[in-house]
Amino acid sequence: VQLQASGGGLVQAGGSLRLSCAASGFTLDDFAILWFRQAPGKEREAVSCVSGSGDRIYYADSVKGRFTVSKQKGKNTVYLQMNLLNPEDTAVYYCATDPVFGHEECRHVRKSTDYELWGQGTQVTVSS
């Protein structure tokens, strides 16, 4: 059972990146997937959540209107499309879920330490 995040890179301000989070050993239909990010010297913060059904979605205020989360069920993968990136978006991005809290379907976005299963993180760097 694992999550694997990928797709990070270096981009100029105003650019776009698409992150992927591939699940193995379980189906994403049954669990919400959250995207967190952690910038140097800062706490890990939730930026988005998509429910198992895909019907419920959460965005942090800082990314609303710029980031879009989606699921591709046939590939058991969640994507985070990030547009209009700015230097404040620079961070390591992680996808996460939990065997218990993953069933909350994004009704409650908890602190990062509540989630048990994590992808390895992918670095996003936005230059000004």
Side-chain angles (χ1 to χ4, degrees):
V1 175
Q2 64 177 359
L3 295 172
Q4 185 166 4
S6 62
L10 173 64
V11 64
Q12 289 187 331
S16 299
L17 284 172
R18 188 178 79 158
L19 306 183
S20 300
C21 177
S24 58
F26 68 104
T27 176
L28 292 181
D29 292 353
D30 298 331
F31 294 91
I33 295 293
L34 293 93
W35 285 99
F36 285 83
R37 68 185 180 186
Q38 188 165 21
K42 295 189 176 181
E43 292 187 355
R44 195 169 294 190
E45 62 171 349
V47 296
S48 185
C49 178
V50 58
S51 64
S53 64
D55 293 340
R56 189 184 301 269
I57 289 175
Y58 160 86
Y59 296 107
D61 288 343
S62 58
V63 306
K64 276 181 184 176
R66 301 187 298 121
F67 289 13
T68 303
V69 66
S70 62
K71 299 183 71 172
Q72 188 165 4
K73 294 186 177 183
K75 291 191 175 182
N76 214 29
T77 300
V78 169
Y79 301 99
L80 186 67
Q81 177 68 41
M82 306 186 297
N83 298 328
L84 299 175
L85 286 161
N86 59 63
E88 289 70 38
D89 296 315
T90 295
V92 179
Y93 285 70
Y94 302 87
C95 53
T97 191
D98 185 84
V100 174
F101 300 132
H103 292 298
E104 290 185 331
E105 295 285 85
C106 305
R107 285 188 291 272
H108 304 288
V109 176
R110 298 175 177 270
K111 59 185 185 297
S112 63
T113 52
D114 285 343
Y115 297 97
E116 183 177 290
L117 182 63
W118 290 82
Q120 80 279 18
T122 184
Q123 175 71 47
V124 171
T125 303
V126 184
S127 63
S128 58

